[in-house]
Amino acid sequence: MTERQTGRLYGVGLGPGDPELVTVKAAALIAKADVVAYHSARHGRSIARSIAEPYLRGDQLEEQLVYPLTVESTDHPGGYRGALDEFYEEAAARLAAHLDAGRDVVVLAEGDPLFYGSYQHMHKRLAGRYRAEVVPGVTSVSAAAARLGRPLVEAEETLTVIPGTLPEEELTARLAAADSAVVMKLGRTFPAVRRALERAGRLDDAQYVERATMPGERTAPLAEVDPDSVPYFSVAVLPSRIDRTVPPAAGAAADSPGDGEVVVVGTGPAGPLWLTPEARGALANATDLVGYTTYLDRVPVRPGQIRHGSDNKVEAERAEFALDLARRGRKVAVVSSGDPGVFAMATAVLEAACVEPYRSVPVRIAPGMTAAHAAASRAGAPLGHDYAVVSLSDRLKPWEVVAQRLRAAAGADLVLALYNPGSRSRTTQVGLARDLLLEHRAPDTPVVLARDVGGPTERVRTVRLADLDPAEVDMRTILLIGSSQTQAVARDNGTEVVWTPRRYPPV
Ligand code: SAH
């Protein structure tokens, strides 16, 4: 007796709605199938089936897989997940029975089967046991962009696809960091998505597409859409920004002074891994970037954006320059490394913004990770207890003030994070600081020397305070000096970790 061949399983994408957007391959498979299966809600209507309708023979078996629930509550002991798992198991068993009997099964999927599609739950359960093939379809992402007639992603732009069901804070962060984006699954999530777009500063760019390529299609600027009118079959789109009309040159008549602002953006100590979504968004949204050339060079070039690089001296002039641009309607990002409030540009901008003629220019600060925290993470947790932050530069304060603060911090047994320890022209401060601290701290106090943390030439080492060599310190180095409690401990794999306990012995 020959064993009967089992049937084949096909997950077939149908595209976004227009039956002419069904692929030739999908149409042929639908027409040939023994069994046509589709998921539906309890109301029983299936958008997938209606798209496939023109290709059905009429004499095929149909398996309607009806979700026991959508988002309403359930009395299943496993909760919502448990109820769904049981439903998928049972649906897969029904399809398996057809496959065992040698019947080919086509599972219809609106859009693409592997893109937020119900077919995936069948595929995961059946593809290991039966021959299964997935036929891709045109997604709602492509359909929405096509119906808007707007470029979606160009050149180095990235596309972020976001389910609207995420928590509002998460939506905001994703949208703030996104170039182009598509938010799926609107409907009851719409008010949160709209608020997130607004908080991310992207509401004006956002487009709305409902039932793309289906009967009843609607497109509109998202800000104009009545939230009560939004169905599940709709998406929000942030199209390519490169397509935006290139902003006119600074001072041109087209700038409306009301739009101007200055955002002082902290880019973190190194690359994009430590850039907050807010900072990334502020950099992308700016018409003008202002900053020290070394920091500006770390920001990717965007077409249409004007870069005003300068040296790292005269911060006050740079601040006034940025505020002047904003007064003329430009959206200015002042770029600062690390956190802009830590020995950086935020103070200079605020100082200027507190006197005329800049008092009415909107100014915001987008924080960044400061060098001390990045360096500490590489060494372990040396800043785990109370610590003080001091700049060793005597460019803006007399050395005697620095020395006095180091003495006070050392006397209080604080861990110290020392910024600006030295440069080509300032070579004496590290030696002076070391000798001063040795009056209060043991010679074997751990000192973390962290250079270019997160950058291509990163080097982090721990030395004894007595062995701290000023020649090994430069502009790109930060020093973390332990307290009397800070430990440097070798672990099994040969690495050394530095940490400061959270307890402190009674004094
Ligand atoms: N606003 C910056 C600090 C500016 S002062 C911040 O919050 O990090 C400049 C000093 O910061 C440098 O001299 C150095 O001490 C420190 N620094 C900045 N980036 C660093 C990095 N990637 N690695 C080590 N030190 C760094």
Side-chain angles (χ1 to χ4, degrees):
M1 209 179 89
T2 56
E3 218 180 304
R4 193 192 342 215
Q5 268 254 347
T6 57
R8 283 174 184 262
L9 174 68
Y10 297 96
V12 172
L14 301 167
D18 179 353
E20 291 192 4
L21 291 174
V22 172
T23 62
V24 174
K25 179 158 190 167
L29 284 169
I30 293 164
K32 246 182 27 204
D34 301 307
V35 180
V36 175
Y38 48 88
H39 293 78
S40 80
R42 266 201 299 230
H43 55 58
R45 293 183 302 277
S46 161
I47 292 200
R49 192 188 177 287
S50 68
I51 303 170
E53 178 90 52
Y55 308 106
L56 293 171
R57 284 201 314 267
D59 63 348
Q60 291 155 300
L61 288 172
E62 293 196 17
E63 279 289 0
Q64 187 173 359
L65 310 170
V66 182
Y67 274 94
L69 69 179
T70 40
V71 282
E72 58 267 48
S73 59
T74 172
D75 50 15
H76 191 281
Y80 179 68
R81 261 254 64 92
L84 275 185
D85 281 343
E86 192 178 303
F87 162 64
Y88 292 136
E89 281 306 320
E90 189 233 16
R94 274 163 67 191
L95 301 187
H98 289 297
L99 295 167
D100 285 334
R103 291 190 278 270
D104 289 344
V105 177
V106 160
V107 181
L108 303 177
E110 197 266 346
D112 180 87
L114 302 182
F115 190 71
Y116 299 114
S118 294
Y119 167 72
Q120 296 171 117
H121 302 290
M122 302 298 98
H123 192 84
K124 281 187 274 189
R125 285 169 175 81
L126 298 170
R129 286 192 276 151
Y130 303 94
R131 291 165 301 166
E133 186 181 336
V134 180
V135 179
V138 176
T139 67
S140 51
V141 171
S142 305
R147 298 311 293 152
L148 289 169
R150 296 277 301 272
L152 187 59
V153 265
E154 226 186 285
E156 257 68 61
E157 285 183 310
T158 61
L159 172 64
T160 307
V161 177
I162 308 171
T165 45
L166 289 179
E168 188 174 326
E169 285 295 311
E170 187 67 37
L171 289 170
T172 306
R174 300 276 177 175
L175 288 165
D179 295 328
S180 307
V182 176
V183 187
M184 324 275 302
K185 308 187 188 194
L186 297 185
R188 70 182 74 200
T189 63
F190 185 82
V193 172
R194 191 188 192 282
R195 283 193 300 272
L197 282 162
E198 188 157 28
R199 284 173 62 197
R202 302 298 298 277
L203 185 57
D204 291 345
D205 301 341
Q207 299 294 319
Y208 170 80
V209 184
E210 175 179 325
R211 299 190 170 89
T213 82
M214 290 180 196
E217 174 185 294
R218 172 164 76 126
T219 62
L222 189 130
E224 291 168 15
V225 171
D226 169 12
D228 292 329
S229 70
V230 174
Y232 180 72
F233 267 90
S234 57
V235 293
V237 181
L238 291 174
S240 168
R241 287 200 260 205
I242 295 178
D243 186 49
R244 258 193 338 199
T245 38
V246 176
D255 287 332
S256 137
D259 292 344
E261 63 164 353
V262 173
V263 191
V264 192
V265 180
T267 57
L273 208 52
W274 288 335
L275 186 65
T276 69
E278 179 186 40
R280 181 188 283 280
L283 293 174
N285 240 347
T287 57
D288 296 71
L289 300 181
V290 172
Y292 173 32
T293 311
T294 309
Y295 299 155
L296 273 191
D297 287 347
R298 294 197 211 147
V299 180
V301 174
R302 287 181 172 272
Q305 204 170 46
I306 303 172
R307 301 158 84 91
H308 311 269
S310 62
D311 64 20
N312 67 346
K313 311 263 162 60
V314 229
E315 291 179 346
E317 275 173 25
R318 224 183 305 157
E320 287 182 12
F321 177 70
L323 288 160
D324 265 326
L325 286 174
R327 277 214 307 158
R328 284 184 266 145
R330 311 293 294 173
K331 290 185 182 305
V332 185
V334 174
V335 177
S336 203
S337 88
D339 181 88
V342 179
F343 307 126
M345 278 306 291
T347 312
V349 170
L350 289 175
E351 244 178 279
C354 287
V355 293
E356 293 303 352
Y358 305 117
R359 289 168 63 101
S360 58
V361 177
V363 174
R364 283 188 296 131
I365 318 289
M369 187 200 296
T370 192
H373 296 169
S377 74
R378 292 295 202 239
L383 306 181
H385 198 74
D386 303 341
Y387 66 95
V389 174
V390 178
S391 167
L392 285 196
S393 171
D394 55 0
R395 219 162 45 77
L396 302 171
K397 63 186 170 191
W399 173 255
E400 196 34 55
V401 171
V402 179
Q404 189 194 337
R405 288 180 183 179
L406 291 176
R407 262 182 232 114
D413 201 19
L414 293 165
V415 174
L416 274 159
L418 301 181
Y419 285 70
N420 297 313
S423 68
R424 242 170 283 140
S425 54
R426 281 193 306 105
T427 51
T428 55
Q429 284 82 0
V430 172
L432 292 172
R434 176 198 58 208
D435 296 344
L436 194 152
L437 293 171
L438 278 170
E439 291 169 21
H440 301 264
R441 302 265 159 104
D444 62 353
T445 301
V447 175
V448 177
L449 275 117
R451 184 173 189 286
D452 188 29
V453 180
T457 59
E458 170 172 317
R459 185 156 185 234
V460 180
R461 281 167 315 132
T462 307
V463 300
R464 297 165 69 241
L465 179 57
D467 300 335
L468 177 57
D469 177 3
E472 296 191 48
V473 172
D474 69 0
M475 268 257 285
R476 291 286 294 149
T477 307
I478 187 163
L479 300 176
L480 307 177
I481 319 273
S483 72
S484 66
Q485 305 299 303
T486 303
Q487 311 286 311
V489 183
R491 300 186 72 241
D492 272 356
N493 60 6
T495 61
E496 187 182 51
V497 287
V498 180
W499 46 275
T500 306
R502 300 208 41 208
R503 294 172 303 281
Y504 202 84
V507 280

Short mmCIF file of all heavy atoms in Angstrom, two decimals, residues 269-270 295 298 336-344 369-372 375 418-422 450-455 474-479, ligand 1:
data_model
loop_
_atom_site.label_atom_id
_atom_site.label_comp_id
_atom_site.label_asym_id
_atom_site.label_seq_id
_atom_site.Cartn_x
_atom_site.Cartn_y
_atom_site.Cartn_z
N PRO A 269 28.82 60.77 24.75
CA PRO A 269 30.27 60.80 24.67
C PRO A 269 30.82 60.25 23.36
O PRO A 269 32.00 60.46 23.06
CB PRO A 269 30.71 59.92 25.84
CG PRO A 269 29.52 59.13 26.22
CD PRO A 269 28.29 59.79 25.69
N ALA A 270 30.02 59.54 22.60
CA ALA A 270 30.56 58.92 21.39
C ALA A 270 29.47 58.80 20.33
O ALA A 270 28.78 59.76 20.04
CB ALA A 270 31.17 57.57 21.72
N TYR A 295 32.65 68.07 17.07
CA TYR A 295 31.37 67.45 17.46
C TYR A 295 30.41 67.39 16.29
O TYR A 295 29.71 66.39 16.10
CB TYR A 295 30.73 68.22 18.63
CG TYR A 295 31.58 68.26 19.88
CD1 TYR A 295 31.44 69.28 20.81
CD2 TYR A 295 32.52 67.26 20.14
CE1 TYR A 295 32.22 69.32 21.96
CE2 TYR A 295 33.29 67.29 21.29
CZ TYR A 295 33.15 68.33 22.19
OH TYR A 295 33.91 68.37 23.32
N ARG A 298 30.53 64.45 13.97
CA ARG A 298 29.94 63.17 14.39
C ARG A 298 28.46 63.06 14.02
O ARG A 298 27.85 62.02 14.20
CB ARG A 298 30.05 63.04 15.91
CG ARG A 298 31.47 62.94 16.42
CD ARG A 298 31.43 62.40 17.84
NE ARG A 298 32.53 62.91 18.63
CZ ARG A 298 32.46 63.17 19.93
NH1 ARG A 298 31.32 62.98 20.57
NH2 ARG A 298 33.51 63.60 20.59
N SER A 336 26.47 69.57 21.21
CA SER A 336 27.41 69.51 22.32
C SER A 336 27.70 68.05 22.59
O SER A 336 26.81 67.22 22.49
CB SER A 336 26.72 70.15 23.52
OG SER A 336 27.63 70.62 24.46
N SER A 337 28.94 67.71 22.96
CA SER A 337 29.20 66.30 23.26
C SER A 337 28.72 65.98 24.67
O SER A 337 28.50 66.87 25.48
CB SER A 337 30.69 65.99 23.14
OG SER A 337 31.34 66.24 24.35
N GLY A 338 28.55 64.73 24.97
CA GLY A 338 28.12 64.32 26.30
C GLY A 338 26.79 64.95 26.66
O GLY A 338 25.85 64.94 25.86
N ASP A 339 26.70 65.49 27.86
CA ASP A 339 25.51 66.22 28.27
C ASP A 339 25.78 67.71 28.08
O ASP A 339 26.82 68.20 28.51
CB ASP A 339 25.18 65.93 29.74
CG ASP A 339 23.92 66.67 30.14
OD1 ASP A 339 22.83 66.11 29.95
OD2 ASP A 339 24.03 67.83 30.60
N PRO A 340 24.84 68.43 27.45
CA PRO A 340 25.11 69.84 27.13
C PRO A 340 25.14 70.72 28.38
O PRO A 340 25.59 71.86 28.32
CB PRO A 340 23.96 70.22 26.20
CG PRO A 340 22.87 69.26 26.50
CD PRO A 340 23.53 67.99 26.94
N GLY A 341 24.67 70.18 29.50
CA GLY A 341 24.68 70.97 30.72
C GLY A 341 25.93 70.74 31.55
O GLY A 341 26.10 71.36 32.61
N VAL A 342 26.81 69.83 31.14
CA VAL A 342 28.02 69.51 31.91
C VAL A 342 29.23 70.12 31.19
O VAL A 342 29.66 69.59 30.16
CB VAL A 342 28.18 67.99 32.07
CG1 VAL A 342 29.46 67.67 32.86
CG2 VAL A 342 26.97 67.39 32.78
N PHE A 343 29.76 71.21 31.72
CA PHE A 343 30.91 71.91 31.13
C PHE A 343 30.73 72.05 29.61
O PHE A 343 31.63 71.72 28.83
CB PHE A 343 32.22 71.15 31.42
CG PHE A 343 32.42 70.85 32.88
CD1 PHE A 343 32.66 69.56 33.31
CD2 PHE A 343 32.37 71.86 33.83
CE1 PHE A 343 32.84 69.27 34.66
CE2 PHE A 343 32.55 71.58 35.18
CZ PHE A 343 32.79 70.29 35.60
N ALA A 344 29.58 72.53 29.19
CA ALA A 344 29.30 72.56 27.75
C ALA A 344 28.38 73.71 27.38
O ALA A 344 28.20 74.65 28.15
CB ALA A 344 28.75 71.21 27.31
N MET A 369 24.14 61.52 27.54
CA MET A 369 24.92 60.79 28.55
C MET A 369 26.26 61.51 28.73
O MET A 369 26.95 61.80 27.75
CB MET A 369 25.18 59.36 28.09
CG MET A 369 25.83 58.52 29.19
SD MET A 369 26.65 57.08 28.55
CE MET A 369 25.27 56.19 27.88
N THR A 370 26.60 61.78 29.98
CA THR A 370 27.84 62.49 30.22
C THR A 370 29.02 61.52 30.26
O THR A 370 28.86 60.33 30.56
CB THR A 370 27.74 63.32 31.52
OG1 THR A 370 28.85 64.21 31.57
CG2 THR A 370 27.71 62.43 32.75
N ALA A 371 30.23 62.04 29.95
CA ALA A 371 31.42 61.19 29.84
C ALA A 371 31.68 60.39 31.11
O ALA A 371 32.09 59.23 31.05
CB ALA A 371 32.64 62.06 29.51
N ALA A 372 31.43 60.99 32.27
CA ALA A 372 31.72 60.29 33.53
C ALA A 372 30.94 58.98 33.62
O ALA A 372 31.46 57.96 34.09
CB ALA A 372 31.38 61.18 34.73
N ALA A 375 32.32 56.39 31.09
CA ALA A 375 33.61 55.88 31.56
C ALA A 375 33.40 54.93 32.75
O ALA A 375 34.01 53.86 32.81
CB ALA A 375 34.52 57.04 31.96
N LEU A 418 36.98 63.82 37.10
CA LEU A 418 37.73 65.01 36.67
C LEU A 418 37.65 65.17 35.16
O LEU A 418 38.21 64.37 34.40
CB LEU A 418 39.19 64.92 37.12
CG LEU A 418 39.41 64.79 38.64
CD1 LEU A 418 40.90 64.72 38.96
CD2 LEU A 418 38.75 65.95 39.39
N TYR A 419 36.90 66.22 34.73
CA TYR A 419 36.79 66.54 33.30
C TYR A 419 37.92 67.48 32.92
O TYR A 419 38.52 68.12 33.77
CB TYR A 419 35.45 67.24 33.02
CG TYR A 419 34.24 66.33 33.04
CD1 TYR A 419 33.78 65.77 34.22
CD2 TYR A 419 33.53 66.06 31.87
CE1 TYR A 419 32.64 64.96 34.24
CE2 TYR A 419 32.40 65.26 31.88
CZ TYR A 419 31.96 64.71 33.06
OH TYR A 419 30.85 63.91 33.07
N ASN A 420 38.16 67.60 31.62
CA ASN A 420 39.18 68.53 31.09
C ASN A 420 40.50 68.43 31.86
O ASN A 420 41.03 69.44 32.32
CB ASN A 420 38.67 69.98 31.17
CG ASN A 420 37.44 70.20 30.31
OD1 ASN A 420 37.40 69.80 29.15
ND2 ASN A 420 36.43 70.81 30.89
N PRO A 421 41.04 67.22 32.03
CA PRO A 421 42.22 67.10 32.89
C PRO A 421 43.47 67.75 32.28
O PRO A 421 44.33 68.22 33.02
CB PRO A 421 42.41 65.59 33.03
CG PRO A 421 41.74 65.00 31.83
CD PRO A 421 40.60 65.92 31.49
N GLY A 422 43.56 67.77 30.96
CA GLY A 422 44.75 68.39 30.37
C GLY A 422 44.63 68.42 28.87
O GLY A 422 43.72 67.82 28.29
N ALA A 450 40.12 56.99 31.43
CA ALA A 450 39.28 56.56 30.31
C ALA A 450 39.45 57.54 29.16
O ALA A 450 39.18 58.73 29.31
CB ALA A 450 37.82 56.48 30.74
N ARG A 451 39.90 57.02 28.03
CA ARG A 451 40.13 57.89 26.87
C ARG A 451 39.22 57.49 25.71
O ARG A 451 39.05 56.31 25.44
CB ARG A 451 41.59 57.76 26.44
CG ARG A 451 41.92 58.68 25.33
CD ARG A 451 43.35 58.77 24.90
NE ARG A 451 43.41 59.88 23.98
CZ ARG A 451 42.94 59.84 22.74
NH1 ARG A 451 42.44 58.73 22.25
NH2 ARG A 451 42.97 60.91 21.97
N ASP A 452 38.59 58.49 25.10
CA ASP A 452 37.74 58.27 23.92
C ASP A 452 36.73 57.14 24.16
O ASP A 452 36.55 56.26 23.32
CB ASP A 452 38.61 57.95 22.69
CG ASP A 452 37.79 57.90 21.40
OD1 ASP A 452 36.77 58.60 21.34
OD2 ASP A 452 38.16 57.15 20.49
N VAL A 453 36.06 57.19 25.30
CA VAL A 453 35.11 56.13 25.63
C VAL A 453 34.01 56.03 24.57
O VAL A 453 33.40 57.04 24.21
CB VAL A 453 34.46 56.37 27.01
CG1 VAL A 453 33.48 55.26 27.34
CG2 VAL A 453 35.53 56.45 28.08
N GLY A 454 33.79 54.84 24.06
CA GLY A 454 32.77 54.62 23.04
C GLY A 454 33.26 54.93 21.64
O GLY A 454 32.58 54.64 20.66
N GLY A 455 34.43 55.54 21.52
CA GLY A 455 34.96 55.92 20.22
C GLY A 455 35.92 54.87 19.67
O GLY A 455 36.20 53.87 20.33
N ASP A 474 45.08 63.26 28.10
CA ASP A 474 44.90 64.34 27.13
C ASP A 474 43.47 64.84 27.15
O ASP A 474 42.70 64.47 28.03
CB ASP A 474 45.33 63.87 25.72
CG ASP A 474 44.37 62.82 25.17
OD1 ASP A 474 43.39 62.47 25.86
OD2 ASP A 474 44.59 62.35 24.04
N MET A 475 43.11 65.66 26.17
CA MET A 475 41.79 66.29 26.08
C MET A 475 40.64 65.30 26.03
O MET A 475 39.53 65.62 26.40
CB MET A 475 41.75 67.11 24.78
CG MET A 475 42.16 68.52 24.93
SD MET A 475 40.71 69.57 24.95
CE MET A 475 40.24 69.58 23.21
N ARG A 476 40.92 64.11 25.50
CA ARG A 476 39.84 63.12 25.31
C ARG A 476 39.77 62.17 26.50
O ARG A 476 39.14 61.12 26.42
CB ARG A 476 40.10 62.31 24.03
CG ARG A 476 39.95 63.10 22.76
CD ARG A 476 38.50 63.39 22.44
NE ARG A 476 37.74 62.19 22.11
CZ ARG A 476 36.44 62.04 22.37
NH1 ARG A 476 35.77 62.99 22.99
NH2 ARG A 476 35.82 60.93 22.03
N THR A 477 40.44 62.51 27.61
CA THR A 477 40.50 61.61 28.76
C THR A 477 39.68 62.17 29.92
O THR A 477 39.65 63.38 30.15
CB THR A 477 41.97 61.44 29.22
OG1 THR A 477 42.75 61.04 28.11
CG2 THR A 477 42.07 60.40 30.34
N ILE A 478 39.03 61.28 30.64
CA ILE A 478 38.39 61.64 31.89
C ILE A 478 38.99 60.76 32.98
O ILE A 478 39.36 59.61 32.71
CB ILE A 478 36.85 61.49 31.81
CG1 ILE A 478 36.19 62.05 33.07
CG2 ILE A 478 36.41 60.05 31.57
CD1 ILE A 478 34.70 62.32 32.90
N LEU A 479 39.14 61.33 34.18
CA LEU A 479 39.72 60.58 35.30
C LEU A 479 38.67 60.35 36.36
O LEU A 479 37.94 61.28 36.73
CB LEU A 479 40.89 61.38 35.92
CG LEU A 479 42.06 61.71 35.00
CD1 LEU A 479 43.06 62.60 35.74
CD2 LEU A 479 42.73 60.42 34.54
N1 SAH B 1 29.60 67.90 28.01
C1 SAH B 1 30.60 66.87 28.06
C2 SAH B 1 31.86 67.34 28.74
C3 SAH B 1 32.60 68.45 28.02
S1 SAH B 1 34.14 68.86 28.78
C4 SAH B 1 30.05 65.66 28.81
O1 SAH B 1 29.00 65.73 29.44
O2 SAH B 1 30.69 64.59 28.72
C5 SAH B 1 35.25 67.89 27.80
C6 SAH B 1 35.83 66.76 28.61
O3 SAH B 1 34.88 65.70 28.71
C7 SAH B 1 37.06 66.09 28.04
O4 SAH B 1 38.25 66.79 28.30
C8 SAH B 1 37.04 64.76 28.78
O5 SAH B 1 37.47 64.92 30.10
C9 SAH B 1 35.56 64.47 28.84
N2 SAH B 1 35.11 63.56 27.73
C10 SAH B 1 34.14 63.85 26.82
N3 SAH B 1 33.93 62.77 26.02
C11 SAH B 1 34.76 61.78 26.44
C12 SAH B 1 34.97 60.42 26.04
N4 SAH B 1 34.30 59.87 25.02
N5 SAH B 1 35.90 59.69 26.73
C13 SAH B 1 36.58 60.23 27.77
N6 SAH B 1 36.40 61.50 28.17
C14 SAH B 1 35.51 62.27 27.54
#
